[in-house]
Amino acid sequence: MLNKMNYLPSNLLPDEGSPEWMNKGDNTWQLTTATLVGLQSVPGLVILYGSIVKKKWALNSAFMALYAFAAVLVCWVGWCYQMSFGEGILPFLGRPNVALDQKFLLRQAFAGNFPNASMVYFQLVFAAITLILIAGALLGRMNFHAWMLFVPLWLTFSYTICAFSIWSTGGWLFKMGLIDYSGGFVIHLSSGVAGFTAACWVGPRAMKDRERFPPNNILLMLAGAGLLWMGWTGFNGGDPYTASIDASLAILNTHVCTAMSLLTWLSLDILFFGKPSVIGATQGMITGLVCITPAAGVVQGWAAIIMGVMSGSIPWYTMMVLHKEIRLLKLVDDTMAVFHTHAVAGCLGGILAGFFADPKLCRLFYQVQDWQHYTGLGYGIFTGRAKAGFRQMGVQLLGIVFVILLNVVTTTIVCRLVKIIVPLRLHEDDLQVGDDAVHGEVAYALWGDGEKLETANEALTFEKNHEWPTVELETSSDAQLE
């Protein structure tokens, strides 16, 4: 081994700061992808949330995202990382412990050729974006103090269980062979179900806001959406834990599926509503990103195209048609339609991963001896291994049921606990005012040389008297913002 080292350039020779087990390229890639995912949240979703809501809720919506990112970071290194990926005490939970000791952080991670510090950072940004996605269902009425309590509680008692069960090598669903390449179950299905459940407990926005909730800046919304899309390069590209050919495939599949989903949603909007809705196209983009996530590096390119068509049409149908026909969906005020864009699209992606998964690609990703049991139903039927394919589909459906039940139960418990301490919903008077009532600040000061109006009543009068006339059209945008 020593002789082989003599042929390496001096900058690649192992030393105290670069041990023999560490691959500098992989470590660099992992840190880069983690930062890309972090940028999806801050500033990506901060900008998107702050601009897609009504003007009076811009600041509160953006700050809910920023607070969640900071709170998750502290909880993650304090106890949640070890509960998600550490020593198992149950088949679905790890032992709580800190992830701050240098001896632990500088050792090789449980997977990949890089240190624990890089893995903790990488998994942190995934946990953070999950809470921020939940916030999307609660914008425009949740008590901020209740949100401050909800974030650490939900992270501790829901996210850690789901992550350990599916991603940790000791998790029961991981051992069964559930395919969740990069978080279709752990992040998107979880956030969609938890957001919808929490929205049910928090209650609806003010009636006036439910009836009319126009975005305050669609151009900024597109900027946030663009950061979200491009950041998904790291979201799916970092999960092989190495700069490999599988990472390259996952990235390309991600963008192909997303583009196809956006175009499908846009086409349906034009066909049924007569106008190409920008908000609708953004929703199609999101459903494409979500759908491909559990399958990104284990399906072929043609499958990514099919998944894009389905992710642009099935969630569109649930949002535009079923949402108006199913009583529960109409009653629960899901501000950003997180149920449709994440729960429905996440379920769809998990099922399609179980159908299109190529066992040869699964071998590249999982790097295990028994890789052939990761066989999609479609491949199983065409290769005479239908039994393996049906087994894989059964595991995927079991995972969906587990994630749904877990998040309904834990989110309900967390909301009821928080409600004992502080109200979940803002007072009606505060709902009429918005940011100024909650934070004492406003996002846009467009009068008096940047000064706020003296009272909330004056602010409401100003908004009412200077509101642009509108024509009521039932478009994709209207349906999404109901």
Side-chain angles (χ1 to χ4, degrees):
M1 183 69 180
L2 197 58
N3 291 333
K4 291 182 180 179
M5 292 294 183
N6 294 333
Y7 293 98
L8 290 174
S10 59
N11 65 313
L12 294 181
L13 289 173
D15 54 34
E16 187 176 359
S18 179
E20 187 175 321
W21 50 260
M22 191 180 82
N23 184 303
K24 290 184 177 180
D26 288 347
N27 192 40
T28 302
W29 174 241
Q30 211 62 35
L31 293 171
T32 302
T33 56
T35 302
L36 285 171
V37 178
L39 289 171
Q40 290 182 291
S41 297
V42 182
L45 286 171
V46 171
I47 294 173
L48 194 151
Y49 283 2
S51 55
I52 201 172
V53 297
K54 203 170 187 177
K55 182 175 67 176
K56 70 176 184 178
W57 291 112
L59 193 64
N60 178 258
S61 301
F63 192 54
M64 283 181 72
L66 185 63
Y67 163 79
F69 192 88
V72 169
L73 196 158
V74 174
C75 297
W76 193 247
V77 297
W79 61 88
C80 287
Y81 174 78
Q82 295 283 25
M83 290 178 69
S84 302
F85 296 95
E87 177 189 355
I89 55 176
L90 293 169
F92 53 84
L93 190 65
R95 187 184 304 279
N97 203 350
V98 296
L100 292 168
D101 181 73
Q102 71 172 17
K103 290 183 179 179
F104 168 75
L105 293 176
L106 300 183
R107 288 203 304 264
Q108 185 174 5
F110 68 87
N113 298 314
F114 47 81
N116 276 318
S118 298
M119 182 64 79
V120 172
Y121 175 44
F122 182 75
Q123 297 297 344
L124 153 70
V125 290
F126 282 84
I129 201 171
T130 307
L131 268 299
I132 295 173
L133 293 174
I134 293 174
L138 307 170
L139 301 179
R141 83 283 199 172
M142 188 172 189
N143 184 346
F144 192 80
H145 297 105
W147 178 241
M148 292 177 70
L149 295 174
F150 178 91
V151 170
L153 288 172
W154 189 89
L155 179 71
T156 302
F157 296 110
S158 185
Y159 185 87
T160 56
I161 294 174
C162 200
F164 188 91
S165 298
I166 295 174
W167 280 344
S168 172
T169 54
W172 69 282
L173 282 170
F174 180 89
K175 291 180 178 178
M176 289 187 70
L178 178 73
I179 297 175
D180 186 13
Y181 189 88
S182 196
F185 290 79
V186 177
I187 296 171
H188 299 297
L189 180 55
S190 290
S191 62
V193 174
F196 187 81
T197 305
C200 181
W201 285 104
V202 172
R205 288 166 287 173
M207 184 58 67
K208 183 180 178 181
D209 286 348
R210 288 202 74 178
E211 292 173 351
R212 190 171 185 277
F213 206 67
N216 68 83
N217 194 322
I218 292 184
L219 290 178
L220 269 182
M221 181 203 75
L222 288 175
L227 283 167
L228 194 65
W229 186 346
M230 290 299 102
W232 229 281
T233 296
F235 201 105
N236 289 344
D239 267 288
Y241 300 142
T242 179
S244 65
I245 56 175
D246 190 50
S248 300
L249 176 66
I251 291 170
L252 182 60
N253 281 345
T254 297
H255 295 299
V256 167
C257 179
T258 303
M260 198 68 227
S261 182
L262 186 153
L263 295 175
T264 301
W265 194 296
L266 183 65
S267 299
L268 290 170
D269 275 349
I270 295 172
L271 181 63
F272 287 92
F273 300 117
K275 291 180 182 286
S277 167
V278 177
I279 295 176
T282 302
Q283 298 285 34
M285 177 203 83
I286 293 171
T287 56
L289 291 166
V290 171
C291 183
I292 193 62
T293 293
V298 297
V299 299
Q300 296 193 33
W302 58 265
I305 289 281
I306 296 173
M307 292 179 72
V309 173
M310 296 182 74
S311 64
S313 54
I314 294 176
W316 182 94
Y317 178 76
T318 65
M319 186 187 296
M320 299 302 151
V321 180
L322 293 185
H323 187 92
K324 299 173 183 178
E325 297 178 356
I326 299 176
R327 185 169 179 269
L328 179 62
L329 295 179
K330 289 192 294 184
L331 284 176
V332 178
D333 183 15
D334 178 0
T335 310
M336 293 289 294
V338 173
F339 176 80
H340 301 284
T341 57
H342 293 275
V344 174
C347 273
L348 180 63
I351 292 170
L352 294 178
F355 187 84
F356 289 120
D358 186 331
K360 294 179 180 178
L361 295 176
C362 290
R363 180 182 61 186
L364 290 176
F365 176 58
Y366 287 104
Q367 297 287 313
V368 292
Q369 294 294 328
D370 58 342
W371 54 270
Q372 288 188 339
H373 82 269
Y374 293 101
T375 299
L377 179 58
Y379 278 89
I381 292 172
F382 284 106
T383 59
R385 300 186 67 242
K387 184 177 180 180
F390 279 111
R391 180 195 176 278
Q392 186 64 58
M393 187 61 74
V395 173
Q396 300 297 109
L397 294 174
L398 176 62
I400 290 171
V401 172
F402 168 74
V403 173
I404 291 173
L405 292 177
L406 170 69
N407 282 280
V408 169
V409 172
T410 55
T411 305
T412 296
I413 293 172
V414 168
C415 285
R416 291 186 69 86
L417 285 174
V418 172
K419 191 176 181 180
I420 295 172
I421 303 170
V422 293
L424 291 172
R425 188 172 181 264
L426 288 168
H427 191 274
E428 284 294 336
D429 292 341
D430 295 336
L431 291 176
Q432 300 304 317
V433 178
D435 288 341
D436 197 15
V438 180
H439 302 286
E441 301 162 315
V442 293
Y444 299 106
L446 302 178
W447 50 83
D449 195 25
E451 297 177 0
K452 293 187 296 182
L453 293 185
E454 292 299 321
T455 66
N457 289 333
E458 288 180 290
L460 289 170
T461 302
F462 180 91
E463 183 178 352
K464 181 177 179 181
N465 293 340
H466 293 74
E467 191 172 352
W468 289 98
T470 60
V471 178
E472 294 296 330
L473 291 174
E474 189 176 356
T475 64
S476 172
S477 306
D478 300 327
Q480 179 265 323
L481 292 168
E482 283 183 353

